[in-house]
Structures are given as structure tokens and as C-alpha cells.
mmCIF file of all heavy atoms in Angstrom:
data_model
loop_
_atom_site.group_PDB
_atom_site.id
_atom_site.type_symbol
_atom_site.label_atom_id
_atom_site.label_comp_id
_atom_site.label_asym_id
_atom_site.label_seq_id
_atom_site.Cartn_x
_atom_site.Cartn_y
_atom_site.Cartn_z
ATOM 1 N N GLY A 1 0.804 -1.250 -0.006
ATOM 2 C CA GLY A 1 0.001 -0.008 -0.014
ATOM 3 C C GLY A 1 0.827 1.269 0.002
ATOM 4 O O GLY A 1 0.292 2.340 -0.256
ATOM 5 N N VAL A 2 2.113 1.156 0.241
ATOM 6 C CA VAL A 2 2.997 2.324 0.253
ATOM 7 C C VAL A 2 3.768 2.327 -1.079
ATOM 8 O O VAL A 2 4.189 1.283 -1.565
ATOM 9 C CB VAL A 2 4.023 2.238 1.425
ATOM 10 C CG1 VAL A 2 5.055 3.348 1.340
ATOM 11 C CG2 VAL A 2 3.263 2.309 2.755
ATOM 12 N N VAL A 3 3.927 3.509 -1.683
ATOM 13 C CA VAL A 3 4.567 3.612 -2.982
ATOM 14 C C VAL A 3 5.984 4.230 -2.868
ATOM 15 O O VAL A 3 6.256 4.947 -1.918
ATOM 16 C CB VAL A 3 3.726 4.442 -3.975
ATOM 17 C CG1 VAL A 3 2.403 3.793 -4.202
ATOM 18 C CG2 VAL A 3 3.535 5.854 -3.468
ATOM 19 N N CYS A 4 6.800 3.920 -3.849
ATOM 20 C CA CYS A 4 8.205 4.343 -3.823
ATOM 21 C C CYS A 4 8.453 5.543 -4.754
ATOM 22 O O CYS A 4 9.605 5.771 -5.158
ATOM 23 C CB CYS A 4 9.118 3.205 -4.218
ATOM 24 S SG CYS A 4 9.039 1.781 -3.114
ATOM 25 N N THR A 5 7.436 6.250 -5.106
ATOM 26 C CA THR A 5 7.578 7.412 -5.982
ATOM 27 C C THR A 5 7.429 8.698 -5.189
ATOM 28 O O THR A 5 6.849 8.692 -4.096
ATOM 29 C CB THR A 5 6.545 7.369 -7.109
ATOM 30 O OG1 THR A 5 6.702 8.506 -7.956
ATOM 31 C CG2 THR A 5 5.132 7.349 -6.571
ATOM 32 N N THR A 6 7.940 9.774 -5.731
ATOM 33 C CA THR A 6 7.714 11.100 -5.109
ATOM 34 C C THR A 6 6.508 11.777 -5.708
ATOM 35 O O THR A 6 6.121 12.880 -5.270
ATOM 36 C CB THR A 6 8.956 11.997 -5.285
ATOM 37 O OG1 THR A 6 9.232 12.114 -6.711
ATOM 38 C CG2 THR A 6 10.154 11.375 -4.580
ATOM 39 N N ASP A 7 5.854 11.137 -6.695
ATOM 40 C CA ASP A 7 4.683 11.719 -7.348
ATOM 41 C C ASP A 7 3.451 11.513 -6.453
ATOM 42 O O ASP A 7 3.050 10.424 -6.156
ATOM 43 C CB ASP A 7 4.435 11.006 -8.671
ATOM 44 C CG ASP A 7 3.395 11.676 -9.526
ATOM 45 O OD1 ASP A 7 2.591 12.496 -8.973
ATOM 46 O OD2 ASP A 7 3.360 11.421 -10.753
ATOM 47 N N LYS A 8 2.884 12.625 -5.998
ATOM 48 C CA LYS A 8 1.743 12.560 -5.036
ATOM 49 C C LYS A 8 0.411 12.832 -5.726
ATOM 50 O O LYS A 8 -0.578 13.036 -5.018
ATOM 51 C CB LYS A 8 1.997 13.541 -3.891
ATOM 52 C CG LYS A 8 3.259 13.245 -3.117
ATOM 53 C CD LYS A 8 3.433 14.233 -1.963
ATOM 54 C CE LYS A 8 4.713 13.948 -1.204
ATOM 55 N NZ LYS A 8 4.927 14.926 -0.056
ATOM 56 N N ARG A 9 0.376 12.807 -7.028
ATOM 57 C CA ARG A 9 -0.846 13.163 -7.757
ATOM 58 C C ARG A 9 -1.985 12.209 -7.432
ATOM 59 O O ARG A 9 -3.175 12.570 -7.501
ATOM 60 C CB ARG A 9 -0.624 13.165 -9.260
ATOM 61 C CG ARG A 9 0.194 14.360 -9.770
ATOM 62 C CD ARG A 9 0.422 14.277 -11.248
ATOM 63 N NE ARG A 9 1.224 13.085 -11.592
ATOM 64 C CZ ARG A 9 1.452 12.712 -12.850
ATOM 65 N NH1 ARG A 9 0.921 13.390 -13.862
ATOM 66 N NH2 ARG A 9 2.187 11.647 -13.086
ATOM 67 N N TRP A 10 -1.686 10.953 -7.105
ATOM 68 C CA TRP A 10 -2.713 9.942 -6.926
ATOM 69 C C TRP A 10 -3.101 9.777 -5.462
ATOM 70 O O TRP A 10 -3.952 8.924 -5.140
ATOM 71 C CB TRP A 10 -2.238 8.606 -7.494
ATOM 72 C CG TRP A 10 -1.578 8.759 -8.844
ATOM 73 C CD1 TRP A 10 -0.288 8.523 -9.161
ATOM 74 C CD2 TRP A 10 -2.202 9.226 -10.048
ATOM 75 N NE1 TRP A 10 -0.037 8.819 -10.481
ATOM 76 C CE2 TRP A 10 -1.214 9.255 -11.052
ATOM 77 C CE3 TRP A 10 -3.484 9.635 -10.363
ATOM 78 C CZ2 TRP A 10 -1.484 9.679 -12.325
ATOM 79 C CZ3 TRP A 10 -3.755 10.058 -11.656
ATOM 80 C CH2 TRP A 10 -2.765 10.071 -12.615
ATOM 81 N N GLY A 11 -2.493 10.529 -4.577
ATOM 82 C CA GLY A 11 -2.876 10.494 -3.192
ATOM 83 C C GLY A 11 -2.369 9.315 -2.405
ATOM 84 O O GLY A 11 -2.822 9.057 -1.281
ATOM 85 N N ASP A 12 -1.440 8.563 -2.975
ATOM 86 C CA ASP A 12 -0.878 7.412 -2.270
ATOM 87 C C ASP A 12 0.107 7.854 -1.162
ATOM 88 O O ASP A 12 0.700 8.903 -1.235
ATOM 89 C CB ASP A 12 -0.117 6.505 -3.232
ATOM 90 C CG ASP A 12 -1.016 5.836 -4.243
ATOM 91 O OD1 ASP A 12 -2.096 5.365 -3.836
ATOM 92 O OD2 ASP A 12 -0.666 5.767 -5.450
ATOM 93 N N ARG A 13 0.233 7.026 -0.167
ATOM 94 C CA ARG A 13 1.210 7.257 0.886
ATOM 95 C C ARG A 13 2.581 6.847 0.376
ATOM 96 O O ARG A 13 2.767 5.704 -0.077
ATOM 97 C CB ARG A 13 0.854 6.446 2.159
ATOM 98 C CG ARG A 13 1.711 6.791 3.356
ATOM 99 C CD ARG A 13 1.394 5.898 4.513
ATOM 100 N NE ARG A 13 2.143 6.292 5.701
ATOM 101 C CZ ARG A 13 2.322 5.507 6.755
ATOM 102 N NH1 ARG A 13 1.877 4.257 6.732
ATOM 103 N NH2 ARG A 13 3.023 5.930 7.787
ATOM 104 N N THR A 14 3.541 7.731 0.456
ATOM 105 C CA THR A 14 4.859 7.454 -0.061
ATOM 106 C C THR A 14 5.756 6.895 1.046
ATOM 107 O O THR A 14 5.476 7.072 2.229
ATOM 108 C CB THR A 14 5.532 8.692 -0.643
ATOM 109 O OG1 THR A 14 5.809 9.615 0.429
ATOM 110 C CG2 THR A 14 4.649 9.372 -1.683
ATOM 111 N N VAL A 15 6.818 6.202 0.604
ATOM 112 C CA VAL A 15 7.727 5.621 1.599
ATOM 113 C C VAL A 15 8.410 6.715 2.396
ATOM 114 O O VAL A 15 8.709 6.561 3.571
ATOM 115 C CB VAL A 15 8.745 4.684 0.922
ATOM 116 C CG1 VAL A 15 9.713 5.438 0.012
ATOM 117 C CG2 VAL A 15 9.488 3.833 1.974
ATOM 118 N N GLU A 16 8.650 7.891 1.776
ATOM 119 C CA GLU A 16 9.239 9.009 2.488
ATOM 120 C C GLU A 16 8.328 9.484 3.602
ATOM 121 O O GLU A 16 8.796 9.785 4.703
ATOM 122 C CB GLU A 16 9.556 10.167 1.518
ATOM 123 C CG GLU A 16 10.708 9.896 0.564
ATOM 124 C CD GLU A 16 10.312 9.150 -0.686
ATOM 125 O OE1 GLU A 16 9.079 8.837 -0.846
ATOM 126 O OE2 GLU A 16 11.178 8.836 -1.527
ATOM 127 N N GLU A 17 7.040 9.574 3.319
ATOM 128 C CA GLU A 17 6.090 9.972 4.339
ATOM 129 C C GLU A 17 6.021 8.941 5.456
ATOM 130 O O GLU A 17 5.924 9.318 6.625
ATOM 131 C CB GLU A 17 4.710 10.181 3.688
ATOM 132 C CG GLU A 17 4.628 11.395 2.767
ATOM 133 C CD GLU A 17 3.331 11.428 1.973
ATOM 134 O OE1 GLU A 17 2.738 10.338 1.739
ATOM 135 O OE2 GLU A 17 2.915 12.538 1.596
ATOM 136 N N MET A 18 6.049 7.682 5.103
ATOM 137 C CA MET A 18 6.004 6.632 6.072
ATOM 138 C C MET A 18 7.203 6.695 7.066
ATOM 139 O O MET A 18 7.048 6.628 8.273
ATOM 140 C CB MET A 18 5.987 5.262 5.414
ATOM 141 C CG MET A 18 5.932 4.092 6.356
ATOM 142 S SD MET A 18 6.327 2.523 5.518
ATOM 143 C CE MET A 18 8.112 2.694 5.396
ATOM 144 N N LEU A 19 8.390 6.895 6.485
ATOM 145 C CA LEU A 19 9.618 6.909 7.296
ATOM 146 C C LEU A 19 9.712 8.169 8.127
ATOM 147 O O LEU A 19 10.122 8.124 9.292
ATOM 148 C CB LEU A 19 10.843 6.818 6.427
ATOM 149 C CG LEU A 19 11.255 5.476 5.890
ATOM 150 C CD1 LEU A 19 12.578 5.590 5.121
ATOM 151 C CD2 LEU A 19 11.380 4.421 6.968
ATOM 152 N N ASN A 20 9.390 9.297 7.505
ATOM 153 C CA ASN A 20 9.563 10.595 8.187
ATOM 154 C C ASN A 20 11.000 10.733 8.692
ATOM 155 O O ASN A 20 11.248 11.236 9.795
ATOM 156 C CB ASN A 20 8.582 10.779 9.339
ATOM 157 C CG ASN A 20 8.460 12.202 9.787
ATOM 158 O OD1 ASN A 20 8.701 13.147 9.012
ATOM 159 N ND2 ASN A 20 8.146 12.416 11.059
ATOM 160 N N TYR A 21 11.980 10.329 7.828
ATOM 161 C CA TYR A 21 13.365 10.392 8.231
ATOM 162 C C TYR A 21 13.831 11.865 8.231
ATOM 163 O O TYR A 21 13.424 12.629 7.345
ATOM 164 C CB TYR A 21 14.239 9.585 7.237
ATOM 165 C CG TYR A 21 15.608 9.257 7.782
ATOM 166 C CD1 TYR A 21 15.804 8.337 8.788
ATOM 167 C CD2 TYR A 21 16.727 9.957 7.292
ATOM 168 C CE1 TYR A 21 17.067 8.067 9.282
ATOM 169 C CE2 TYR A 21 17.985 9.666 7.785
ATOM 170 C CZ TYR A 21 18.156 8.712 8.773
ATOM 171 O OH TYR A 21 19.420 8.453 9.278
ATOM 172 N N PRO A 22 14.650 12.257 9.192
ATOM 173 C CA PRO A 22 14.986 13.687 9.320
ATOM 174 C C PRO A 22 15.853 14.242 8.196
ATOM 175 O O PRO A 22 15.974 15.455 8.066
ATOM 176 C CB PRO A 22 15.706 13.772 10.659
ATOM 177 C CG PRO A 22 16.227 12.372 10.922
ATOM 178 C CD PRO A 22 15.188 11.468 10.319
ATOM 179 N N LYS A 23 16.468 13.387 7.380
ATOM 180 C CA LYS A 23 17.292 13.854 6.271
ATOM 181 C C LYS A 23 16.767 13.245 4.978
ATOM 182 O O LYS A 23 16.091 12.197 5.018
ATOM 183 C CB LYS A 23 18.758 13.487 6.494
ATOM 184 C CG LYS A 23 19.373 14.195 7.706
ATOM 185 C CD LYS A 23 20.840 13.871 7.829
ATOM 186 C CE LYS A 23 21.462 14.626 9.025
ATOM 187 N NZ LYS A 23 22.927 14.371 9.145
ATOM 188 N N ARG A 24 17.078 13.889 3.870
ATOM 189 C CA ARG A 24 16.584 13.413 2.559
ATOM 190 C C ARG A 24 17.269 12.115 2.157
ATOM 191 O O ARG A 24 18.483 12.046 2.085
ATOM 192 C CB ARG A 24 16.823 14.460 1.465
ATOM 193 C CG ARG A 24 15.900 15.687 1.564
ATOM 194 C CD ARG A 24 16.198 16.591 0.370
ATOM 195 N NE ARG A 24 15.342 17.758 0.373
ATOM 196 C CZ ARG A 24 14.152 17.836 -0.213
ATOM 197 N NH1 ARG A 24 13.694 16.779 -0.818
ATOM 198 N NH2 ARG A 24 13.440 18.942 -0.175
ATOM 199 N N VAL A 25 16.442 11.108 1.886
ATOM 200 C CA VAL A 25 16.941 9.831 1.347
ATOM 201 C C VAL A 25 15.960 9.366 0.297
ATOM 202 O O VAL A 25 14.806 9.757 0.282
ATOM 203 C CB VAL A 25 17.060 8.739 2.452
ATOM 204 C CG1 VAL A 25 18.219 9.045 3.415
ATOM 205 C CG2 VAL A 25 15.766 8.585 3.223
ATOM 206 N N PHE A 26 16.435 8.540 -0.634
ATOM 207 C CA PHE A 26 15.562 8.001 -1.651
ATOM 208 C C PHE A 26 15.856 6.539 -1.857
ATOM 209 O O PHE A 26 16.865 6.042 -1.449
ATOM 210 C CB PHE A 26 15.639 8.790 -2.977
ATOM 211 C CG PHE A 26 16.992 8.904 -3.523
ATOM 212 C CD1 PHE A 26 17.431 8.070 -4.536
ATOM 213 C CD2 PHE A 26 17.900 9.879 -3.062
ATOM 214 C CE1 PHE A 26 18.700 8.173 -5.083
ATOM 215 C CE2 PHE A 26 19.185 9.980 -3.585
ATOM 216 C CZ PHE A 26 19.589 9.124 -4.623
ATOM 217 N N SER A 27 14.940 5.851 -2.515
ATOM 218 C CA SER A 27 15.001 4.381 -2.566
ATOM 219 C C SER A 27 15.966 3.874 -3.629
ATOM 220 O O SER A 27 16.109 4.458 -4.682
ATOM 221 C CB SER A 27 13.613 3.783 -2.809
ATOM 222 O OG SER A 27 13.107 4.275 -4.021
ATOM 223 N N VAL A 28 16.612 2.769 -3.298
ATOM 224 C CA VAL A 28 17.491 2.050 -4.228
ATOM 225 C C VAL A 28 16.654 0.920 -4.828
ATOM 226 O O VAL A 28 16.550 -0.155 -4.277
ATOM 227 C CB VAL A 28 18.718 1.438 -3.503
ATOM 228 C CG1 VAL A 28 19.639 0.752 -4.492
ATOM 229 C CG2 VAL A 28 19.467 2.550 -2.732
ATOM 230 N N GLY A 29 16.032 1.175 -5.952
ATOM 231 C CA GLY A 29 15.164 0.192 -6.572
ATOM 232 C C GLY A 29 13.794 0.161 -5.932
ATOM 233 O O GLY A 29 13.649 0.124 -4.706
ATOM 234 N N ARG A 30 12.789 0.158 -6.748
ATOM 235 C CA ARG A 30 11.442 0.272 -6.224
ATOM 236 C C ARG A 30 10.772 -1.092 -6.018
ATOM 237 O O ARG A 30 11.165 -2.103 -6.619
ATOM 238 C CB ARG A 30 10.561 1.071 -7.175
ATOM 239 C CG ARG A 30 11.026 2.496 -7.336
ATOM 240 C CD ARG A 30 10.134 3.252 -8.274
ATOM 241 N NE ARG A 30 10.586 4.624 -8.407
ATOM 242 C CZ ARG A 30 9.961 5.530 -9.161
ATOM 243 N NH1 ARG A 30 8.898 5.188 -9.828
ATOM 244 N NH2 ARG A 30 10.424 6.784 -9.227
ATOM 245 N N LEU A 31 9.801 -1.099 -5.153
ATOM 246 C CA LEU A 31 8.829 -2.190 -5.050
ATOM 247 C C LEU A 31 7.463 -1.591 -5.401
ATOM 248 O O LEU A 31 7.141 -0.494 -4.929
ATOM 249 C CB LEU A 31 8.799 -2.772 -3.634
ATOM 250 C CG LEU A 31 9.986 -3.620 -3.211
ATOM 251 C CD1 LEU A 31 9.917 -3.889 -1.713
ATOM 252 C CD2 LEU A 31 10.026 -4.937 -3.992
ATOM 253 N N ASP A 32 6.652 -2.290 -6.195
ATOM 254 C CA ASP A 32 5.358 -1.718 -6.532
ATOM 255 C C ASP A 32 4.427 -1.645 -5.319
ATOM 256 O O ASP A 32 4.733 -2.228 -4.262
ATOM 257 C CB ASP A 32 4.721 -2.419 -7.750
ATOM 258 C CG ASP A 32 4.308 -3.852 -7.436
ATOM 259 O OD1 ASP A 32 3.899 -4.144 -6.322
ATOM 260 O OD2 ASP A 32 4.358 -4.662 -8.380
ATOM 261 N N LYS A 33 3.340 -0.986 -5.506
ATOM 262 C CA LYS A 33 2.406 -0.707 -4.389
ATOM 263 C C LYS A 33 1.963 -1.970 -3.682
ATOM 264 O O LYS A 33 1.819 -2.006 -2.421
ATOM 265 C CB LYS A 33 1.218 0.089 -4.889
ATOM 266 C CG LYS A 33 0.223 0.512 -3.831
ATOM 267 C CD LYS A 33 -0.877 1.392 -4.420
ATOM 268 C CE LYS A 33 -1.882 1.829 -3.374
ATOM 269 N NZ LYS A 33 -2.921 2.696 -3.955
ATOM 270 N N ASN A 34 1.722 -3.037 -4.407
ATOM 271 C CA ASN A 34 1.205 -4.270 -3.828
ATOM 272 C C ASN A 34 2.296 -5.258 -3.389
ATOM 273 O O ASN A 34 1.969 -6.357 -2.918
ATOM 274 C CB ASN A 34 0.275 -4.962 -4.856
ATOM 275 C CG ASN A 34 -0.951 -4.135 -5.143
ATOM 276 O OD1 ASN A 34 -1.541 -3.533 -4.236
ATOM 277 N ND2 ASN A 34 -1.343 -4.068 -6.379
ATOM 278 N N SER A 35 3.539 -4.860 -3.495
ATOM 279 C CA SER A 35 4.655 -5.679 -3.047
ATOM 280 C C SER A 35 5.191 -5.128 -1.745
ATOM 281 O O SER A 35 4.929 -4.003 -1.378
ATOM 282 C CB SER A 35 5.788 -5.701 -4.103
ATOM 283 O OG SER A 35 5.301 -6.267 -5.326
ATOM 284 N N GLU A 36 5.920 -5.972 -1.034
ATOM 285 C CA GLU A 36 6.409 -5.571 0.295
ATOM 286 C C GLU A 36 7.813 -6.070 0.504
ATOM 287 O O GLU A 36 8.348 -6.821 -0.330
ATOM 288 C CB GLU A 36 5.486 -6.178 1.391
ATOM 289 C CG GLU A 36 5.445 -7.700 1.341
ATOM 290 C CD GLU A 36 4.352 -8.256 2.273
ATOM 291 O OE1 GLU A 36 4.534 -8.110 3.499
ATOM 292 O OE2 GLU A 36 3.411 -8.890 1.744
ATOM 293 N N GLY A 37 8.431 -5.645 1.591
ATOM 294 C CA GLY A 37 9.752 -6.175 1.959
ATOM 295 C C GLY A 37 10.866 -5.189 1.867
ATOM 296 O O GLY A 37 10.672 -3.953 1.985
ATOM 297 N N LEU A 38 12.056 -5.709 1.653
ATOM 298 C CA LEU A 38 13.297 -4.915 1.786
ATOM 299 C C LEU A 38 13.430 -3.856 0.700
ATOM 300 O O LEU A 38 13.355 -4.114 -0.471
ATOM 301 C CB LEU A 38 14.503 -5.856 1.745
ATOM 302 C CG LEU A 38 15.868 -5.175 1.871
ATOM 303 C CD1 LEU A 38 15.981 -4.457 3.245
ATOM 304 C CD2 LEU A 38 16.999 -6.184 1.713
ATOM 305 N N LEU A 39 13.647 -2.657 1.186
ATOM 306 C CA LEU A 39 13.930 -1.494 0.353
ATOM 307 C C LEU A 39 15.154 -0.800 0.958
ATOM 308 O O LEU A 39 15.173 -0.579 2.181
ATOM 309 C CB LEU A 39 12.731 -0.557 0.334
ATOM 310 C CG LEU A 39 12.703 0.559 -0.687
ATOM 311 C CD1 LEU A 39 12.536 0.009 -2.084
ATOM 312 C CD2 LEU A 39 11.557 1.527 -0.378
#
């Protein structure tokens, strides 16, 4: 249910929002919305 994109047009919850990490980080390889696990 969490997406790995920075595009918020579709209203999805992004992994950045989920983490709320204090510094800017981005994902190494995506997992689609319906997939889960290591990122």
C-alpha cells in the first residue's frame, strides 16, 4: 500500500512519508504498491 515514488498526484502514501526520516533519502530500486519487503 506504500509507494516508492515522489509523485503525489494519486494521493498514495509514499515511503518518504512513512519513514519521516529527518534527512533526505531516496530508494534504491522500487517495489510496486502491492509488493512488500526490503527497500
Side-chain angles (χ1 to χ4, degrees):
V2 174
V3 299
C4 299
T5 179
T6 58
D7 189 342
K8 299 181 181 180
R9 286 178 297 173
W10 315 115
D12 292 317
R13 188 184 185 200
T14 68
V15 68
E16 289 85 1
E17 291 170 334
M18 179 195 77
L19 281 185
N20 196 28
Y21 196 73
K23 296 184 178 181
R24 286 184 179 271
V25 289
F26 55 99
S27 59
V28 182
R30 297 181 180 181
L31 287 170
D32 67 33
K33 184 176 179 178
N34 295 319
S35 298
E36 60 189 295
L38 180 61
L39 191 69

